[in-house]
Amino acid sequence: MVELSDEKVLYAFDKTLEPALTVPSGETVRIRAKDCFGNQVQRPEDELDQIDWDHINPATGPIFVEGAKAGGALKVTIDAIEFDGQSASCTGKDEGVCGDRFEAWSTHLCAIDGDEVVWDERLRIPLRPMIGVIGVAPVAGAVNCGTPGSHGGNMDNTAITTGATLYFPVAVDGALFGCGDMHAAMGDGEISVSGAEAAGYATVTLTALPELSVPDPLIENETHFGVIASAETLDAAADRAVHEMVDLICDRTGEKPDEMVMLLSLVADVQVCQMVDPEKTVRFMVPKYVLDALGFAL
């Protein structure tokens, strides 16, 4: 295993960036990540109006993975997520779902105590570790780390946690992987525009799959397999994720689309990841027992 410090960060996924680290396919990397505020909110008196907004949502990287080829895929297994001892949350004017109700920024700091986030003296919240920003270089241009897309990015997906495996479409040799914006807890939707934002470490295993072609990120855990899609609206993201899953299963099993759509209507779930970023993100999750019965394999 190798380590990468948070001295090397990117604020936009971009295939022209110079790698911060080069690793062979199959390498495990322990990555130090700043929180989404760039570690600028540490005390109650740290006002969001006063931070450097050019240095928010940093992702550590990029990492060049040997063997990753344009047109193929990068497999990313989340081995572990570790946090520092504090998280910060925020909401504000025109931010999140309820931004119309506020005239200024608000922040809330929480201690992280073992497997709990301490909201206040009355309430402790179970730790729900996840990685908010994770992805690879996009096909064209630079995509800031606050925006999700087919490359991954700021998907804010609670299913991206320890034990999950993701498959990203690779647009440039080496993939140029990065991650950050980790959360100690977050509900689906991320309605305030933040989770329990925390710095810490993400340990991931990076494997090149040059023969696998995928249009959007895929996610797999012990019980489910899914497509993650981002679009201008939740409806459009859900529509895209469902269509891609139907195509993926039918292509690999020979099942008829009408039969597959009826089956997925019985067993699969459309789940909101986040509804507050420039593009909204949805995951469409299918139980593995269904896929196993159909003989599905990537």
Side-chain angles (χ1 to χ4, degrees):
M1 182 171 66
V2 297
E3 296 206 11
L4 181 61
S5 78
D6 61 8
E7 294 179 0
K8 298 289 188 177
V9 299
L10 54 96
Y11 296 97
F13 289 89
D14 185 346
K15 63 183 179 181
T16 68
L17 294 176
E18 290 295 320
L21 177 70
T22 296
V23 299
S25 177
E27 182 65 87
T28 298
V29 187
R30 186 171 183 252
I31 299 168
R32 176 70 183 173
K34 298 178 181 179
D35 70 20
C36 81
F37 305 111
N39 296 349
Q40 298 179 85
V41 180
Q42 299 294 317
R43 304 167 301 165
E45 55 266 33
D46 291 334
E47 298 285 345
L48 286 179
D49 287 333
Q50 298 173 0
I51 71 172
D52 181 355
W53 286 90
D54 290 331
H55 291 88
I56 64 164
N57 270 330
T60 304
I63 299 173
F64 185 102
V65 182
E66 294 174 344
K69 300 296 182 184
L74 180 69
K75 177 181 177 181
V76 180
T77 301
I78 313 298
D79 300 308
I81 299 173
E82 309 162 69
F83 295 112
D84 294 353
Q86 179 174 272
S87 73
S89 302
C90 72
T91 195
K93 180 178 173 61
D94 299 327
E95 298 292 337
V97 175
C98 297
D100 58 308
R101 298 189 172 196
F102 310 122
E103 293 300 324
W105 283 105
S106 298
T107 58
H108 188 101
L109 303 181
C110 295
I112 299 173
D113 182 18
D115 59 359
E116 295 178 317
V117 177
V118 183
W119 179 256
D120 59 22
E121 66 278 2
R122 301 165 301 169
L123 178 63
R124 288 173 172 255
I125 302 166
L127 198 69
R128 295 181 65 192
M130 57 164 287
I131 301 174
V133 172
I134 185 168
V136 296
V139 172
V143 179
N144 70 74
C145 288
T147 301
S150 294
H151 68 293
N154 193 28
M155 297 182 290
D156 283 321
N157 182 340
T158 58
I160 300 176
T161 186
T162 304
T165 296
L166 296 108
Y167 303 85
F168 292 101
V170 173
V172 61
D173 288 355
L176 297 183
F177 171 83
C179 70
D181 182 37
M182 300 195 303
H183 302 149
M186 193 194 88
D188 284 339
E190 198 189 28
I191 64 164
S192 83
V193 85
S194 78
E197 310 288 341
Y201 292 90
T203 301
V204 300
T205 299
L206 305 172
T207 305
L209 300 176
E211 304 303 319
L212 176 64
S213 178
V214 296
D216 274 310
L218 307 178
I219 185 165
E220 180 178 11
N221 58 34
E222 185 177 356
T223 61
H224 287 74
F225 185 93
V227 173
I228 308 169
S230 299
E232 185 175 350
T233 67
L234 287 174
D235 285 351
D239 186 84
R240 178 170 172 165
V242 171
H243 277 81
E244 288 186 10
M245 181 59 82
V246 170
D247 290 343
L248 184 65
I249 297 173
C250 290
D251 287 348
R252 283 161 172 74
T253 64
E255 297 288 327
K256 296 191 300 181
D258 58 342
E259 291 288 327
M260 185 51 49
V261 169
M262 289 188 287
L263 174 60
L264 294 182
S265 191
L266 302 183
V267 300
D269 295 304
V270 174
Q271 300 171 339
V272 174
C273 298
Q274 60 77 27
M275 54 194 295
V276 295
D277 293 332
E279 298 275 302
K280 317 308 177 191
T281 308
V282 162
R283 60 185 181 268
F284 186 54
M285 303 294 282
V286 181
K288 278 188 170 179
Y289 79 85
V290 174
L291 298 175
D292 291 344
L294 299 174
F296 173 85
L298 273 182

